[in-house]
């Protein structure tokens, strides 16, 4: 087990630590939903906004902490990866209760952030500060993404799939130029992420970008279809009740 700054153990996927984190999150997720949904909606909104703010501070805190420990790398530590900047977008979602922005990034969370929890790229085990940051940000983003659908009944429309895909490509284009300037690989536009992840199954760059684009469209449509199916069944059960 690592201390907050000292590294003695590297993280291993599907180790006891990994399984414990995933199971622990599911238990917390269920408790959190049940606890918060009975509160007034204004309290729910403020709580979720505070959580998004906390995740943003946690993510940005990586920069001074890495400076302090002497490992800061401008090609890795600026919050330009999807999971790094999504907490900041979530601040806007919960400050304004903007369904359109939520629906746009919902697919990014379900397809991207969730994947990062099952095939993590974190290097160190708990309780190193970067491991704490990684798991808090990635796990809590899933909670923030699902909460409006589960509790507030926010819906997804088919056009949200197209809007999400276009927005992702716009963001990717902007980050591509940052990568050229910094000689970095943010958003994994310039190459596959390190370690064994879902991307390992894809062809090499740049072909894997085209394959990934097709996969994103298909999977987003599948997510939308599953979402709509669940929504209809829930509505049917509530109607019969």
């Amino acid at each position: 087990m690592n201390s907050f700054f000292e590294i003695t153990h590297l993280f291993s996927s599907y180790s006891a630590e990994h399984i414990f984190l995933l199971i622990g999150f599911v238990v917390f997720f269920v408790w959190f939903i049940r606890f918060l949904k009975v509160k007034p909606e204004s309290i729910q909104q403020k709580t979720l906004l505070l959580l998004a703010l906390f995740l943003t501070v946690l993510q940005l805190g990586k920069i001074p902490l890495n400076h302090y420990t002497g490992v800061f790398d401008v090609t890795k530590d600026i919050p330009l990866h999807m999971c790094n900047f999504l907490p900041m977008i979530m601040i806007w979602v919960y400050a304004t209760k903007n369904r359109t922005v939520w629906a746009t990034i919902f697919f990014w969370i379900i397809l991207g952030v969730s994947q990062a929890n099952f095939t993590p790229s974190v290097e160190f085990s708990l309780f190193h500060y970067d491991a704490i940051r990684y798991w808090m940000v990635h796990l809590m983003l899933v909670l923030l993404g699902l909460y409006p659908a589960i509790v507030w009944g926010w819906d997804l429309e088919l056009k949200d799939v197209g809007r999400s895909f276009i927005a992702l490509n716009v963001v990717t284009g902007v980050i591509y130029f940052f990568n050229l300037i910094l000689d970095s690989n943010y958003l994994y536009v310039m190459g596959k992420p390190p370690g064994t992840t879902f991307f390992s199954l894809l062809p090499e760059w740049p072909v894997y970008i085209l394959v990934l684009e097709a996969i994103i469209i298909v999977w987003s449509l599948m997510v939308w279809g599953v979402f709509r199916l669940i929504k209809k069944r829930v509505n049917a059960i509530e109607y019969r009740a």
Side-chain angles (χ1 to χ4, degrees):
M1 182 181 295
N2 299 316
S3 65
F4 194 70
F5 288 115
E6 184 181 359
I7 302 169
T8 58
H9 291 84
L10 298 179
F11 180 81
S12 178
S13 296
Y14 302 104
S15 60
E17 177 184 0
H18 190 187
I19 299 301
F20 174 79
L21 283 164
L22 294 179
I23 294 175
F25 170 69
V26 171
V27 173
F28 174 80
F29 182 91
V30 173
W31 171 83
F32 185 87
I33 295 292
R34 290 180 175 178
F35 170 78
L36 193 59
K37 71 178 182 179
V38 298
K39 308 294 183 183
E41 192 163 313
S42 61
I43 298 298
Q44 296 178 41
Q45 181 181 0
K46 290 178 182 177
T47 301
L48 295 163
L49 175 58
L50 286 173
L51 179 56
L53 285 166
F54 172 72
L55 296 182
T56 298
V57 171
L58 199 63
Q59 180 59 50
L60 294 176
K62 178 182 179 178
I63 296 175
L65 284 172
N66 278 7
H67 270 295
Y68 175 76
T69 56
V71 298
F72 176 77
D73 185 345
V74 71
T75 67
K76 297 179 181 179
D77 297 330
I78 298 175
L80 292 178
H81 280 303
M82 179 181 293
C83 301
N84 298 167
F85 61 73
L86 276 176
M88 305 172 199
I89 300 178
M90 277 299 181
I91 292 176
W92 177 259
V93 169
Y94 284 110
T96 62
K97 293 191 71 174
N98 191 309
R99 192 215 68 88
T100 301
V101 175
W102 167 80
T104 299
I105 65 174
F106 179 84
F107 299 96
W108 304 0
I109 292 173
I110 298 303
L111 298 177
V113 180
S114 297
Q115 178 272 139
N117 286 316
F118 287 105
T119 57
S121 59
V122 61
E123 295 183 65
F124 313 124
S125 293
L126 295 171
F127 287 92
H128 187 267
Y129 70 86
D130 196 51
I132 295 173
R133 175 204 61 82
Y134 182 94
W135 289 111
M136 283 295 296
V137 169
H138 287 78
L139 292 172
M140 292 302 107
L141 274 174
V142 174
L143 187 154
L144 289 174
L146 290 175
Y147 190 94
I150 295 174
V151 180
W152 294 344
W154 285 10
D155 206 352
L156 290 176
E157 302 174 2
L158 183 57
K159 63 183 179 182
D160 292 323
V161 175
R163 182 186 293 118
S164 178
F165 182 75
I166 293 171
L168 179 59
N169 277 272
V170 170
V171 171
T172 299
V174 172
I175 292 180
Y176 173 78
F177 286 103
F178 276 100
N179 285 329
L180 291 178
I181 295 170
L182 300 173
D183 192 25
S184 56
N185 189 26
Y186 288 112
L187 214 58
Y188 304 120
V189 178
M190 318 302 285
K192 296 182 184 181
T196 303
T197 67
F198 159 76
F199 294 89
S200 303
L201 302 174
L202 303 181
E204 294 303 317
W205 186 92
V207 177
Y208 103 90
I209 297 292
L210 299 177
V211 175
L212 190 59
E213 291 261 287
I215 291 174
I216 288 172
I217 294 174
V218 173
W219 281 7
S220 294
L221 289 170
M222 290 174 61
V223 168
W224 174 79
V226 171
F227 186 97
R228 295 300 305 159
L229 180 62
I230 294 174
K231 188 79 172 179
K232 287 182 179 179
R233 291 189 175 183
V234 169
N235 290 340
I237 293 173
E238 291 178 347
Y239 177 79
R240 289 197 296 269

